[in-house]
Amino acid sequence: MTQAVLAIAQLCYEILLRDRYKAKVACERRVVTEALTNIVEVNTKRRGSRRNHPPLCTNSIKKRVAES
C-alpha cells in the first residue's frame, strides 16, 4: 500500500470512532447531521467502486429522510 492509502485509511478509522454514536442517534431520529454525513462518506470511500454494492449517495439519504 502507498502512504496515501494508509493515511486515508487512518483518517477514515478516526472519523468512524469519533462520529459513530452521534451518527447512530441522528439515524434513529431520522435527522441528517454532519456526523451522519461523515459516516456515510467514510463508508462510501471504504466500499470503493464494487459493482455489486454501489456507494451510498449522501443526497439520496437526505432525500429519503426528508420524505419520511
Side-chain angles (χ1 to χ4, degrees):
M1 282 192 218
T2 67
Q3 292 296 317
V5 171
L6 291 173
I8 291 169
Q10 180 65 39
L11 180 59
C12 287
Y13 178 73
E14 290 170 7
I15 291 169
L16 287 171
L17 289 179
R18 181 190 70 208
D19 290 345
R20 67 184 186 260
Y21 179 74
K22 290 179 183 178
K24 178 183 179 289
V25 171
C27 191
E28 290 171 348
R29 293 180 180 172
R30 296 180 175 262
V31 176
V32 177
T33 64
E34 184 177 350
L36 181 58
T37 301
N38 290 342
I39 296 297
V40 169
E41 288 177 358
V42 165
N43 283 328
T44 301
K45 299 286 186 248
R46 185 183 57 82
R47 282 186 181 185
S49 59
R50 289 190 241 163
R51 292 178 194 247
N52 295 335
H53 302 285
L56 295 173
C57 174
T58 304
N59 290 333
S60 68
I61 289 177
K62 288 179 183 178
K63 182 179 177 184
R64 279 188 270 156
V65 169
E67 291 172 353
S68 299

